[in-house]
């Protein structure tokens, strides 16, 4: 199960020397010229991601937005060390990611709570008994369950929870052991609009308290702007970072009236402009739009 | 907590319960009728030494219990199953687990196992007698062989279909190897494992009996064969009753274990609150 080291030819020291002197010190993730090529039996080689470069600072909320199938989930998996890179490198806290990156929290697309564990067992799963005493584990689990409004459901199994509740539990399961970075892969994708907004609001509130770094993948432009400090726009095949936008909106934000907040229109407008351009290219190439945007 | 189902249930419930009662009554009637017909047919239409009769079977059951013969033979068969079945099940589960965890292992040994699986395994029973003698160990061997494969295949199938994302998540959350194995993988595969255990129960009994048929000096299989040889048909049925009883008890135990282990699966009909 061991994964090949992401590093290929170049030596880390040599590469570090090439980095610009302006490199920020508070950077937690550095993705440098990363590519990912998949070998598929039907289509041959498929370039999922090409030449991706992005830095993420401590405490930053970065969203990665792009059409379905553009490889944005793959990017998260590579940061987590779940998928090996084809080229380039990823540094986490200055160290190249080799094998599994157990220093990140990961919130998958579906909640993926362990169905055989109760809610509290699920939430406390990542609390290492070597690091936390029994009392600490219980307290932390309880606090986060309270924070997510799931009190009274501690002994319930995931099959007894609604989609929204399971999602909350899935998020606090990644937060509870306080990894420096949380990777979220379209966590609110399958939820209905109201639940989605409520959870976005809760996520922002928790984040404002804890200020863990979040890299959040989504295909929803509004969500991307509403949550983020910066939005990375990934294009469709091959996935490239088209642009990284700063979102100049104040915090705390009101998710429910995000449209009225100062700066939203401007940020959204810029994002949409880029996307419109993208869509136009794809339409001109004669690709069917609906098969790609509706496939999720 | 609000339960949306409870409101309308009395009206739906009663005919349901009445129907259940009706089904039970008819079932009892069929069984009772069968025994009655058997009792009547025996000695009137068909020779009793061919089919015996419920009353004769009952009398010889009591006789055999009182003389202690039945306990003696049952105990031997019970020992054979009691040793062979857990050993076969555990090693089948362990092998299935290892194959699921190691692709290399699976690639090397899968064809070999499939080839052995292709042999009608009861055909190997005489060999076990040659190797392990006519005592209980040859039967333990046959029971082991029959249980091993069913447990192996079910566990391995469960390992293959298991959602890899659970493993990834657990490892990302820093789960130790022990925790990964016993808190994630085994629970995830447990429905398959239990299915394997349950399907292998009757086969374990078959294994013991086949072994005893071939060569033995004691055991229920031996008792049945001996009784049939001297046309003590009632005793044959007594032996069959004991075997049925064994399978039923083992199934009940398996059900209890299953209900306990898989309680997370059955508790779906509880509260569902939106949001």
């Amino acid at each position: 199960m061991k994964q090949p080291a992401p590093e290929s030819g170049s030596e880390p020291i040599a590469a570090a020397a090439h980095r610009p002197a302006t490199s920020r010190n508070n950077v937690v993730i550095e993705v440098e010229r990363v590519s990912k090529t998949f070998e598929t039996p039907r289509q041959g080689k498929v370039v999922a991601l090409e030449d991706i470069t992005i830095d993420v600072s401590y405490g930053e909320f970065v969203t990665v937005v792009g059409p379905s199938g553009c490889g944005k989930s793959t990017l998260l998996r590579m940061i987590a060390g779940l998928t090996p890179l084809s080229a380039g490198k990823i540094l986490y806290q200055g160290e190249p990611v080799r094998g599994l990156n157990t220093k990140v929290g990961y919130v998958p697309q579906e909640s993926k709570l362990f169905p055989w564990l109760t809610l509290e067992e699920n939430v406390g799963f990542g609390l290492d008994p070597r690091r936390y005493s029994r009392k600490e584990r219980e307290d932390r689990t309880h606090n986060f369950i309270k924070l997510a409004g799931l009190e009274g459901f501690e002994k319930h199994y995931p099959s007894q929870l609604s989609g929204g509740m399971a999602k909350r539990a899935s998020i606090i399961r990644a937060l509870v052991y306080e990894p420096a970075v949380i990777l979220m892969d379209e966590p609110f994708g399958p939820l209905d609009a109201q639940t989605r907004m409520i959870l976005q609001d809760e996520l922002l509130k928790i984040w404002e308290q804890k200020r863990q770094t979040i890299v959040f993948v989504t295909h929803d432009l509004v969500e991307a702007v509403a949550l983020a400090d910066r939005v990375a726009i990934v294009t469709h095949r091959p996935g490239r970072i088209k642009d990284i936008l700063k979102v100049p909106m104040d915090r705390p934000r009101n998710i429910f009236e995000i449209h009225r907040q100062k700066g939203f229109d401007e940020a959204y407008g810029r994002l949409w402009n880029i996307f419109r351009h993208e869509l136009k290219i794809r339409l001109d190439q004669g690709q069917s739009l609906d098969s790609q945007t509706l496939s999720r | 907590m609000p339960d949306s189902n409870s409101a309308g249930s009395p009206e739906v419930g009663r005919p349901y319960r009445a129907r259940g009662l009706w089904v039970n009554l008819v079932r009892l009637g069929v069984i009772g009728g069968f025994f009655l017909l058997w009792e009547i047919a025996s000695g009137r239409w068909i020779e009793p030494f061919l089919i015996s009769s419920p009353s004769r079977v009952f009398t010889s059951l009591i006789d055999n219990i009182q003389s202690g013969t039945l306990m003696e033979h049952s105990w031997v068969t019970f020992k054979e199953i009691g040793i062979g079945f857990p050993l076969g099940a555990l090693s089948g589960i362990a092998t299935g687990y290892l194959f699921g965890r190691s692709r290399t292992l699976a690639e090397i040994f899968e064809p070999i196992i499939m080839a052995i699986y292709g042999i009608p395994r009861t055909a190997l029973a005489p060999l076990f007698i040659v190797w392990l003698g006519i005592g209980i160990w040859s039967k333990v061997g046959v029971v082991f062989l029959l249980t091993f494969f069913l447990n192996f295949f079910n566990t391995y199938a469960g390992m293959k279909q298991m959602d890899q994302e659970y493993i990834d998540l657990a490892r990302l959350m820093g789960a130790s190897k022990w925790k990964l194995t016993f808190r994630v993988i085994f629970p995830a595969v447990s429905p398959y494992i239990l299915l394997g255990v349950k399907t292998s129960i009757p086969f374990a009994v078959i294994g013991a009996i086949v072994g005893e048929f071939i060569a033995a000096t004691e055991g229920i299989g031996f008792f049945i064969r001996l009784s049939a040889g001297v046309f003590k048909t009632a005793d044959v049925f007594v032996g069959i009753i004991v075997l049925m009883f064994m399978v039923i008890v083992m199934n009940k135990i398996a059900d209890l274990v299953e209900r306990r282990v898989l309680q997370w699966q059955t508790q779906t009909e509880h509260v569902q609150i939106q949001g």
Side-chain angles (χ1 to χ4, degrees), chain B residues 4 13 25 36 67 78 81 83 104-105 120 131 142 145 149 172 194 223 226-227 229-230 234 267 272 274:
Chain B
S4 57
L25 278 177
L36 195 68
S67 68
F78 176 79
I81 296 170
I83 299 168
T104 325
L105 204 66
W131 293 336
V142 183
L145 192 68
F149 280 96
L172 276 178
L194 283 162
F223 176 74
L226 195 72
S227 309
V230 295
Q267 292 193 349
Q272 296 264 329
Q274 205 43 59

Side-chain angles (χ1 to χ4, degrees), chain B residues 74 89 98 134 163 174 183 195:
Chain B
S74 303
L98 288 175
I134 61 165
D163 191 340
R183 291 288 270 174
L195 185 70

Side-chain angles (χ1 to χ4, degrees), chain A residues 112 116 125 160 162 168, chain B residues 163 179 183 267 271 273 275:
Chain A
K112 293 286 172 182
W116 48 88
F125 190 92
Q160 301 165 276
S162 72
R168 285 192 181 97
Chain B
D163 191 340
K179 195 171 178 183
R183 291 288 270 174
Q267 292 193 349
V271 253
I273 292 171

Side-chain angles (χ1 to χ4, degrees), chain B:
Chain B
M1 263 160 245
D3 184 356
S4 57
N5 284 332
S6 63
S9 55
E11 265 146 31
V12 190
R14 203 161 302 146
Y16 233 83
R17 220 165 296 146
R19 192 169 167 279
L21 186 69
W22 183 79
V23 167
N24 276 327
L25 278 177
V26 172
R27 187 189 296 136
L28 271 178
V30 169
I31 296 168
F34 171 76
F35 281 115
L36 195 68
L37 195 69
W38 184 4
E39 187 69 49
I40 295 167
S42 172
R44 288 189 179 79
W45 309 321
I46 305 171
E47 289 288 347
F49 78 84
L50 288 178
I51 61 162
S52 188
S53 73
S55 55
R56 285 189 184 89
V57 171
F58 185 74
T59 326
S60 85
L61 177 68
I62 299 296
D63 285 351
N64 278 302
I65 288 172
Q66 276 170 350
S67 68
T69 337
L70 202 58
M71 266 321 283
E72 242 167 70
H73 291 302
S74 303
W75 174 239
V76 171
T77 307
F78 176 79
K79 267 193 297 190
E80 291 158 4
I81 296 170
I83 299 168
F85 178 69
L87 279 182
L90 283 178
S91 46
I93 292 165
T95 316
Y97 168 80
L98 288 175
F99 276 40
R101 291 297 284 163
S102 159
R103 240 183 78 197
T104 325
L105 204 66
E107 275 171 4
I108 296 170
F109 287 103
E110 211 184 302
I112 300 175
I113 293 221
M114 287 311 284
I116 299 173
Y117 183 68
I119 306 168
R121 278 171 308 292
T122 43
L124 295 173
L127 266 184
F128 277 86
I129 308 281
V130 173
W131 293 336
L132 300 169
I134 61 165
I136 68 163
W137 293 104
S138 49
K139 287 81 187 178
V140 169
V142 183
V143 173
F144 177 91
L145 192 68
L146 289 183
T147 27
F148 173 84
F149 280 96
L150 283 167
N151 282 285
F152 163 73
F153 278 112
N154 275 286
T155 308
Y156 186 35
M159 292 292 293
K160 277 201 280 197
Q161 67 78 51
M162 180 188 172
D163 191 340
Q164 190 64 34
E165 202 162 4
Y166 287 131
I167 296 180
D168 289 345
L169 276 170
R171 290 175 67 213
L172 276 178
M173 287 190 272
S176 60
K177 224 173 160 71
W178 189 90
K179 195 171 178 183
L180 185 67
T181 307
F182 292 102
R183 291 288 270 174
V184 179
I185 297 176
F186 272 115
V189 185
S190 59
Y192 286 82
I193 293 176
L194 283 162
L195 185 70
V197 170
K198 282 178 81 175
T199 32
S200 63
I201 287 172
F203 285 90
V205 178
I206 291 173
I209 297 309
V210 166
E212 288 169 358
F213 278 175
I214 295 170
T217 53
E218 46 189 356
I220 293 292
F222 168 78
F223 176 74
I224 290 176
R225 205 180 61 127
L226 195 72
S227 309
V230 295
F231 292 104
K232 277 172 148 179
T233 320
D235 283 0
V236 173
F237 283 108
V238 168
I240 290 168
I241 289 171
V242 172
L243 295 181
M244 260 172 78
F245 181 73
M246 277 184 184
V247 172
I248 288 171
V249 170
M250 285 166 79
N251 270 328
K252 273 275 171 274
I253 293 170
D255 278 342
L256 284 177
V257 173
E258 184 176 38
R259 211 165 303 156
R260 201 161 159 70
V261 174
L262 299 186
Q263 54 170 329
W264 51 274
Q265 259 195 344
T266 50
Q267 292 193 349
T268 42
E269 65 287 339
H270 275 240
V271 253
Q272 296 264 329
I273 292 171
Q274 205 43 59

Side-chain angles (χ1 to χ4, degrees), chain A residues 8-28:
Chain A
S8 43
S10 68
E11 291 207 31
I13 303 149
H18 284 293
R19 245 184 292 146
T22 53
S23 172
R24 290 160 297 167
N25 289 327
N26 60 339
V27 169
V28 57

Side-chain angles (χ1 to χ4, degrees), chain A residues 219-232:
Chain A
H219 59 260
D220 182 330
L221 303 189
V222 178
E223 184 171 73
V225 173
L227 298 176
D229 294 325
R230 287 192 298 152
V231 183

